[in-house]
Every structure is written in C-alpha cells, then in structure tokens.
Amino acid sequence: MTERIPCIREACANTILPTTAARTGGFCMPCKQEMEREERQRYIEANRRDVNVYAGITDPVEVLKIMHEPQVRDPLIRYVPYEKSKEEVYLSLSAEQQDQMKDYAMQRIRTGDEDNGKDILIYLVCYHDISLTNEIPELLEQEIYYPAILVKSASPEVRDRLLQQVNTDDENRNHILLMLAHIGDDVVVQQFRQWRQSPPSWACELYVAPEHYTTEAGWELTNDGQRRELFTTPSYSLYKATENEATKMAISEDSLLMLTPSAQGCPWCGSALTSLINLDVKHPALRDVSWHAERLQIQTCVICSSYGVVYMELDAAGEPLWSSHNVMPMGMDEIDLEDYGELAPDVGRQFRIANASRHAFHASEWGMEPSLSQIGGHPGWVQDAEYPPCPCCSARMKAVAQLDWGEVEEYGEGMYYMFICEPCQMTAVSYQQS
Ligand SMILES: [Zn+2]
Ligand SMILES: [Zn+2]
Ligand SMILES: [Zn+2]
C-alpha cells in the first residue's frame, strides 16, 4: 500500500498519493483548484477594464436602445451603468421620441425579437399611456396576447373581433378576456353584464366567472351592471429621497408621514401597529377621495397583515381603530415575534411624495421593476388582483396606495396594498410576495 503524504499548502489537512503530488507540485486537488481560481481572479482584476457603452450618447432614444440590447458577458469587462435608470430615461421622452421608440419596438417584433419589442411597448404604455390603436392589429396577428394592457387602446373593430374570438378560441380565452377587460368600454361592460346574466357555454371551463376578469384591469361590474373603478386617481409616486435630497429638505414638511409607530398594539400578536401612510386629505393625490378625517391614515400590523387582511375603522375623532370585523388568519397563533426585526425609527422620513402625478398604470406591471410605492394608481399586483371586500357593506374596497417593502427594509420583500371603503370609512391592508 502506497503511503499518502500531506498536501503542502499551509493549513490544509488533506493527504494525497505521491503520484498526485508529482502532478500538482505537492498540492491536493481542492487546493490546486482553489489556487487556480485565485490566479484567474487576480488576472481578471489586473486586466479588467471599464466600458461605457453610453459614452458620448445624449439622445434618450439611443440610450434606451442600448439598454434593451443584451450585453455580452465578459469577465474582463465592467460595464459602467448609465447615470439614470431605465424608468427615468423613459419618463424623459418627448412625444416624438415616444413615437420613435414605438416604431423601433415594432421593428424588433417584425424581425423576431418579440420579447424586447414587447417590453418597450409595455414601458411606453405604462409610463406614457401611449395609444397603440394602429399597432394592435399587427400585434394580434403576431399572436402577442400578453400582457393584456398593451391592447387597452384597441379600436372598436378589434374589440368586436375579440368579442367574437372569445367564443371560439379555447386556447387564448383567458388572454382575450383580460384584453377585453382592459379595453373596458361601454360595449365590453355590456357584454360582461350579459355574461353574468346568462353565462356562456365556455364559462364552466374558467376558474372564475367571466366578469371577475375585470378586476385585473382595475374595475368591477356593480350589482346593477355599471363599471366601477377599483383604484383611486391621480397617482403620485412615493420615492425614497437620496441622502443629498433628504438633508436638504426640512423635516417640517409634514403633509406626508410614513411608517410611524402607533400607540395601539396589535390584538393578535401584541406588537405596535404601524401607520404605513398618513397624508393630509387636502393633498392633490387625495383630490377624489372622500374621507371624513383631516388626514388619511392607514394603520396596520405589519406582521399580521402579511398573513391576512387587517381592517381598521375610524373612531369618533377620526382616528384609526382596530376593526371588530377583523378575523384572525389561521396559523397566526404560532408566529414567533423574534423572527421580525424592528423598523428603523427614521425610515419613514426618507420617503417623499412626488411633486407631480404620473399615469394611473405606471406601476401596474410589477415585473418591469418600476418604482412601485405610490398613492393612487392601479396596483402592481405581485400575484392575482385581490381587492378585499369591505366587512361592513361587502363591496370591493378601492386601492388607494401601495408600499414596496423592499424599499423599507434592507432584506424586505413583497408589497403592502392599502384600500379604503369611502361610504363606510374603513381601511384595509393586504400583502403579496413572489
Ligand atoms: Zn490541500
Ligand atoms: Zn400583529
Ligand atoms: Zn363599505
């Protein structure tokens, strides 16, 4: 039997065969591989260069084209990121530049790059609410049925064709119903109303009744068959100020307060309730919200509302109060508070409300990574649209705000959705994560 000899690398306890040692210069294989990896890393660090693919480019259309171009992965290249985010560049586009991007997207689709072409169109529709009326017939011809929001500006002819197709096209029925929901004009509302009265033969193949598809487009069919919006407008972004901006702005600006602890405790888990947002009702973001207190405060238990909907009502003084309608979700009694950290005391002060409103569907495509936190606007559902029923009047509650928890805590994730029922002056908070 051959005697094994120790690896010569310091602090390595492995032993190897003399034949291995002869091949590796005395090192064991793991050490040898580790040393090669380190060598490679040293080489990369010594030879890596910065490449700025945006150098000298000022036209935002050209910047965006580059942003949509897949980058060649090369360990020796470090790409310098552009000074603005994709979202910011899109928002800076003039009407003419939006048209240029639209034409470019269609060109990409025609040449087979459907994914990029579609992405560009989604950004243009969400951030600028551009019309695709002229492009939609071609998109449908290319069988681009998703996401349905792209089709919201369809012409009456296309709408009528979809109303026919939904009866026969088993494969795309889901997508067509969502497209119709996004078109959502009087004719579509009437059709959904008819389907509710006498369900079509294909309705039994769906998971939900046809009229429930409308909630994915932010509206519902009321009991008397009218269209009712399920989110408030206008939409204002809630963004985290840069450190610079944060120190410049005085904290005295108290029209918006966020993430402040409440004096009330959560009856389920015992931790303090949190006021997610607290905004002066005179703020333009709440222009169309009818609220009986001076401030719209949406409180919840951050822990418990990630398990189920938490409702609050207003007391006589207009202060939020834990609702007697709350029903403890299953499994709540087993949660361990030790698993949850405390919020940084000043985190709310880092948030600002934008000076100007943005389009209602700006944050609706969650997967496109827009800035999600907002007051007003269509929710960015991580999963399916889910508007909680008001426990007093059982109508669907309206979405009024959302907060991206990834912006709140370093390892935070998921989204808190805030809702109101104006007739009952109730608030609700729910949560979704991927
Ligand atoms: Zn070794
Ligand atoms: Zn709780
Ligand atoms: Zn109600």
Side-chain angles (χ1 to χ4, degrees):
M1 194 180 118
T2 326
E3 200 175 321
R4 295 177 71 92
I5 53 174
C7 165
I8 63 168
R9 199 180 199 201
E10 218 175 302
C12 179
N14 291 345
T15 60
I16 49 173
L17 294 169
T19 47
T20 311
R23 259 191 300 125
T24 62
F27 297 99
C28 71
M29 280 320 282
C31 282
K32 174 95 175 141
Q33 280 160 1
E34 171 65 16
M35 285 157 59
E36 281 170 0
R37 206 190 56 78
E38 284 170 4
E39 176 63 25
R40 242 188 343 263
Q41 203 50 42
R42 268 196 301 277
Y43 178 82
I44 287 170
E45 266 154 39
N47 293 281
R48 184 157 52 188
R49 61 206 166 88
D50 284 350
V51 171
N52 185 356
V53 288
Y54 304 102
I57 296 177
T58 51
D59 180 356
V61 170
E62 295 309 316
V63 170
L64 286 172
K65 286 180 184 174
I66 297 171
M67 283 181 166
H68 282 284
E69 207 59 55
Q71 268 169 358
V72 184
R73 275 190 156 293
D74 182 341
L76 292 179
I77 294 179
R78 186 168 35 210
Y79 290 103
V80 180
Y82 191 63
E83 63 209 34
K84 290 181 187 163
S85 71
K86 197 186 262 179
E87 183 181 13
E88 288 170 319
V89 183
Y90 266 104
L91 287 176
S92 77
L93 297 179
S94 67
E96 193 189 337
Q97 289 165 335
Q98 292 165 33
D99 272 346
Q100 287 172 25
M101 278 313 284
K102 181 169 74 175
D103 292 344
Y104 177 69
M106 294 308 290
Q107 214 177 299
R108 297 303 292 245
I109 289 170
R110 279 176 212 127
T111 52
D113 182 9
E114 189 185 300
D115 289 346
N116 258 316
K118 212 163 73 166
D119 282 356
I120 295 169
L121 294 179
I122 299 169
Y123 287 118
L124 291 170
V125 168
C126 289
Y127 297 165
H128 291 289
D129 199 20
I130 64 157
S131 164
L132 294 178
T133 309
N134 295 325
E135 288 74 20
I136 288 166
E138 189 178 346
L139 295 179
L140 294 177
E141 216 167 283
Q142 301 271 357
E143 300 192 17
I144 293 176
Y145 289 153
Y146 185 86
I149 192 171
L150 291 179
V151 182
K152 85 187 175 72
S153 50
S155 66
E157 293 76 39
V158 170
R159 174 203 64 207
D160 290 345
R161 217 169 63 217
L162 290 170
L163 284 169
Q164 290 298 317
Q165 195 180 341
V166 74
N167 290 312
T168 52
D169 190 344
D170 295 346
E171 196 186 325
N172 295 305
R173 184 165 295 124
N174 260 303
H175 293 315
I176 297 171
L177 285 168
L178 290 172
M179 288 193 269
L180 289 170
H182 272 284
I183 296 169
D185 62 9
D186 290 348
V187 176
V188 169
V189 172
Q190 198 191 338
Q191 178 64 81
F192 276 110
R193 190 160 56 215
Q194 240 168 52
W195 281 330
R196 186 169 64 187
Q197 274 157 10
S198 47
S201 58
W202 41 261
C204 55
E205 293 159 32
L206 306 171
Y207 289 110
V208 293
E211 71 269 17
H212 286 164
Y213 279 77
T214 65
T215 63
E216 295 289 340
W219 60 279
E220 68 168 355
L221 206 55
T222 58
N223 289 337
D224 57 353
Q226 304 299 312
R227 175 182 166 132
R228 173 177 174 255
E229 304 306 315
L230 288 175
F231 59 89
T232 67
T233 51
S235 172
Y236 279 74
S237 166
L238 297 173
Y239 65 98
K240 241 176 149 173
T242 57
E243 272 173 41
N244 227 337
E245 205 177 347
T247 44
K248 251 190 294 175
M249 279 168 77
I251 302 162
S252 65
E253 222 258 283
D254 65 350
S255 102
L256 173 73
L257 297 170
M258 283 177 64
L259 296 160
T260 47
S262 156
Q264 299 181 68
C266 169
W268 292 342
C269 74
S271 58
L273 298 183
T274 302
S275 190
L276 294 180
I277 59 165
N278 177 340
L279 182 65
D280 192 324
V281 292
K282 290 196 278 302
H283 191 282
L286 301 177
R287 191 182 65 199
D288 293 336
V289 171
S290 139
W291 206 246
H292 301 167
E294 274 171 30
R295 303 184 70 89
L296 174 65
Q297 287 190 63
I298 303 204
Q299 286 194 8
T300 194
C301 171
V302 170
I303 298 170
C304 294
S305 51
S306 69
Y307 290 83
V309 179
V310 168
Y311 296 100
M312 303 287 289
E313 41 199 79
L314 289 191
D315 70 11
E319 290 295 312
L321 192 70
W322 182 267
S323 170
S324 55
H325 295 284
N326 279 321
V327 180
M328 188 158 90
M330 302 280 273
M332 273 306 314
D333 37 0
E334 283 166 26
I335 64 156
D336 187 353
L337 287 179
E338 307 251 306
D339 294 345
Y340 298 88
E342 296 239 327
L343 275 181
D346 62 339
V347 62
R349 290 202 196 143
Q350 298 167 24
F351 282 88
R352 299 282 178 275
I353 187 161
N355 288 323
S357 63
R358 61 187 195 180
H359 284 290
F361 282 82
H362 185 109
S364 63
E365 290 296 316
W366 168 80
M368 307 300 278
E369 299 180 356
S371 47
L372 290 161
S373 300
Q374 64 184 10
I375 293 189
H378 188 278
W381 297 109
V382 178
Q383 295 160 26
D384 290 342
E386 217 172 319
Y387 295 86
C390 171
C392 301
C393 69
S394 68
R396 282 193 181 87
M397 295 177 78
K398 269 190 189 178
V400 70
Q402 64 187 17
L403 186 54
D404 174 6
W405 210 247
E407 287 191 300
V408 174
E409 286 188 306
E410 194 180 351
Y411 300 106
E413 53 177 345
M415 186 103 72
Y416 286 90
Y417 303 92
M418 292 163 250
F419 306 87
I420 49 171
C421 179
E422 291 158 291
C424 306
Q425 298 284 293
M426 297 276 301
T427 70
V429 173
S430 71
Y431 174 84
Q432 290 184 353
Q433 67 179 73
S434 54

